Amino acid sequence: MVYAIATPPPSRRASFSKDKRVCDVRSDTFTEPTDDMYEMMKNASRGDDVYGEDTSTLHLETKVADLCKKQAALFCATGTMTNQIALRAALFQPPHSILCDHRSHVYLWEAGGIAYHSQAQVTPVIPKNGHHLILQDIQKAIIPPLSGLTAPTKVISLENTLNGTIMPLQDLAEISAFARQRGIWMHCDGARLWHVVAATGVPIHEWVQYFDSISLCLSKGMGAPIGSILVGGKDFIAKARDLRKLFGGGWRQSGGLAHVAEWTLSNVWPQLPATHAMATRLAEGLQAQGVRITTPVETNMVFIDTAPIGVHITDLAVYLADKGVRLGGSSPTEARLVIHYQIEPWAIDAIIDAVQALKH
């Protein structure tokens, strides 16, 4: 799904002073580094991470590994990098395949990286319940190892959250038990797993215990300028570190970025329940105006269809730009609105008021 087509041209974009910042609901990737973050970077270590000598980076990796109760972690530039490194590290010689939800980021939005990096076939599965994959979906879609005939399933990749929805622990446990009986690697694209913890109150280690590798984004929603972190066993992370270098991701003085990323764990993560509350209020307000909510609002995302009230997303985006809110869309009447910690309550009111003003 593309989220930028409804952005108004520069001539129609609002200009606001710092006391009323533009609120961008196109994605939680639009969080902006603060002045305090740049000041914080000055206090970080300045060692070389390729040589394993940067203490701020090592401290972040150790902290996240400990939170997850895993052996090791690896700080990288992006979630696409941590996902693709993880999948490549889990796979050996083709033929092999990766099973995932048909809406998965690793399948749709990583530039075909699975085929390019891992020479793997993908088995995209549509969940029968429409919400998340369950064991029965996996059992039906799994590809067995039949010599000379198949690309057997070697990895199951699950995303949590997926489109803002939460995959329940019980289903993760059942799928993981099934996979481990068959020697199938379990990978979690947990770019927004922080939101799962914030919404449920269940510690992060309980969610990741069912996976061999976990990708956690520290930029999306968490507010760090750059960075995702890959978590897993010691040998796996050692291999992932070699692959990171191969991918061109062996950065040097990463301490400043790591220091800020760690700061978000204590300062932004606790704010996520408030973003969920705003997302729920937004969904309820839009629904009251006749907008169709197309996906359950369980964390920070609101998927809308404005066709029932005759409003085009482009018109809504132009109207909101003058109010200081930036909106994107995936079709003339469909859009994804993503709430993050820098979205302010007035922006929620502005979106609801705009729909009311424009609806037919």
Side-chain angles (χ1 to χ4, degrees):
M1 189 176 286
V2 178
Y3 302 111
I5 64 169
T7 303
S11 61
R12 296 301 303 274
R13 292 179 188 168
S15 177
F16 285 79
S17 60
K18 285 188 177 181
D19 62 335
K20 190 171 184 181
R21 185 178 49 80
V22 171
C23 284
D24 198 325
V25 297
R26 288 176 295 172
S27 176
D28 47 2
T29 60
F30 286 101
T31 54
E32 297 179 357
T34 64
D35 292 342
D36 288 344
M37 289 180 179
Y38 286 112
E39 286 298 317
M40 209 178 305
M41 289 181 186
K42 296 178 182 179
N43 298 319
S45 59
R46 304 182 185 187
D48 190 317
D49 183 51
V50 171
Y51 282 83
E53 296 175 356
D54 184 73
T55 55
S56 291
T57 303
L58 292 170
H59 195 272
L60 169 67
E61 292 170 344
T62 300
K63 182 169 184 174
V64 176
D66 288 346
L67 279 171
C68 293
K69 295 190 176 180
K70 297 290 186 181
Q71 293 178 334
L74 179 67
F75 188 42
C76 298
T78 70
T80 294
M81 178 177 284
T82 47
N83 277 330
Q84 292 301 320
I85 288 175
L87 297 173
R88 182 65 189 87
L91 294 166
F92 295 92
Q93 176 66 40
H96 44 217
S97 63
I98 296 168
L99 187 152
C100 63
D101 190 295
H102 73 115
R103 302 162 295 178
S104 293
H105 196 277
V106 296
Y107 173 54
L108 293 177
W109 306 115
E110 298 189 3
I114 290 174
Y116 187 86
H117 297 297
S118 297
Q119 299 176 325
Q121 175 176 289
V122 178
T123 307
V125 182
I126 300 173
K128 188 175 181 180
N129 64 21
H131 184 274
H132 65 277
L133 293 176
I134 62 174
L135 178 59
Q136 288 76 12
D137 297 321
I138 302 293
Q139 290 172 326
K140 290 180 181 178
I142 210 84
I143 299 175
L146 299 175
S147 180
L149 296 174
T150 66
T153 303
K154 295 294 184 180
V155 175
I156 295 173
S157 178
L158 302 176
E159 189 171 334
N160 207 10
T161 64
L162 198 163
N163 290 343
T165 63
I166 298 171
M167 188 170 189
L169 272 172
Q170 182 59 37
D171 292 298
L172 291 176
E174 292 175 0
I175 293 170
S176 179
F178 171 82
R180 286 172 174 169
Q181 288 170 3
R182 289 156 180 78
I184 297 173
W185 187 271
M186 288 285 292
H187 174 67
C188 176
D189 178 358
R192 296 182 175 92
L193 193 61
W194 313 107
H195 282 279
V196 176
V197 175
T200 64
V202 177
I204 194 167
H205 70 265
E206 293 193 27
W207 293 97
V208 304
Q209 65 181 310
Y210 302 111
F211 295 94
D212 301 293
S213 57
I214 308 99
S215 168
L216 300 165
C217 189
L218 292 160
S219 174
K220 284 180 179 176
M222 291 288 279
I226 292 173
S228 285
I229 194 158
L230 183 60
V231 186
K234 185 177 180 180
D235 292 343
F236 166 78
I237 291 298
K239 183 176 181 182
R241 189 175 294 275
D242 290 343
L243 287 168
R244 186 186 68 170
K245 181 67 172 175
L246 176 65
F247 280 29
W251 47 14
R252 299 293 179 170
Q253 287 71 33
S254 58
L257 296 172
H259 190 54
V260 173
E262 183 176 345
W263 177 88
T264 68
L265 296 174
S266 300
N267 293 274
V268 178
W269 196 6
Q271 298 186 52
L272 298 188
T275 70
H276 299 170
M278 280 198 289
T280 298
R281 184 165 73 86
L282 175 60
E284 291 173 349
L286 294 176
Q287 200 164 29
Q289 298 296 330
V291 174
R292 188 170 72 93
I293 305 301
T294 61
T295 301
V297 179
E298 298 176 7
T299 53
N300 68 320
M301 295 187 184
V302 181
F303 287 80
I304 64 172
D305 180 3
T306 57
I309 59 172
V311 173
H312 278 217
I313 295 299
T314 301
D315 295 334
L316 183 59
V318 170
Y319 187 96
L320 282 170
D322 291 331
K323 308 296 182 183
V325 179
R326 288 182 181 162
L327 173 72
S330 57
S331 81
T333 62
E334 295 183 354
R336 181 188 76 164
L337 288 68
V338 186
I339 310 305
H340 52 78
Y341 87 105
Q342 290 181 335
I343 299 298
E344 299 171 22
W346 64 260
I348 305 300
D349 296 328
I351 297 168
I352 296 169
D353 292 345
V355 168
Q356 185 176 22
L358 293 173
K359 72 177 183 179
H360 295 169

